[in-house]
Amino acid sequence: MRKPIIAGNWKMFKTRDETLQFVYAVSNVVPSIDKVDSVICAPFPMLRCLVKRQGENLRIGAQNMHFAEEGAYTGEVSATMLTSLDVTYVIIGHTIINNRVINTRTNIISG
């Protein structure tokens, strides 16, 4: 049987200090990695400090990833950028991001 993954993210709600406090608190109470993969998917600016502190039972992931490896995609993050930080999980396909892109394209075409 496949091992379950429990993952969560917090969008744009935590500062660096709040992020570290949260991860330290959560890393002590997540289930054993033998039973489940527990993943916190944080905003890109927080990933470097979190990966250094991921515990034995807690993994760090990214909240989003762009499909292109590089290019003029302001604010986007590539797979190469994530793997260079040793990030091995990412949430892809957020409804809110998909809707924002579709609505932006619609406004540009209609506008």
Side-chain angles (χ1 to χ4, degrees):
M1 185 170 123
R2 190 172 163 183
K3 184 167 49 166
I5 298 173
I6 299 173
N9 67 316
W10 55 74
K11 318 275 189 277
M12 261 183 13
F13 286 107
K14 294 189 183 308
T15 64
R16 182 184 179 277
D17 291 343
E18 292 168 335
T19 296
L20 291 173
Q21 285 178 330
F22 181 77
V23 167
Y24 287 137
V26 169
S27 64
N28 294 324
V29 296
V30 295
S32 167
I33 199 156
D34 296 331
K35 297 178 183 176
V36 63
D37 286 337
S38 298
V39 185
I40 292 178
C41 294
F44 186 73
M46 308 301 174
L47 293 178
R48 185 168 183 247
C49 72
L50 290 180
V51 167
K52 290 179 179 182
R53 291 162 177 86
Q54 65 186 347
E56 183 177 310
N57 295 319
L58 182 65
R59 297 293 170 250
I60 302 302
Q63 292 188 142
N64 195 29
M65 181 182 75
H66 195 273
F67 61 85
E69 279 301 307
E70 61 182 25
Y73 302 103
T74 303
E76 295 294 339
V77 178
S78 72
T80 302
M81 292 172 168
L82 295 177
T83 56
S84 74
L85 295 174
D86 294 324
V87 171
T88 55
Y89 292 88
V90 63
I91 300 173
I92 297 179
H94 290 278
T95 304
I96 192 166
I97 291 171
N98 294 337
N99 287 340
R100 185 178 65 214
V101 169
I102 291 167
N103 289 337
T104 301
R105 287 183 182 152
T106 302
N107 289 339
I108 291 170
I109 292 168
S110 302

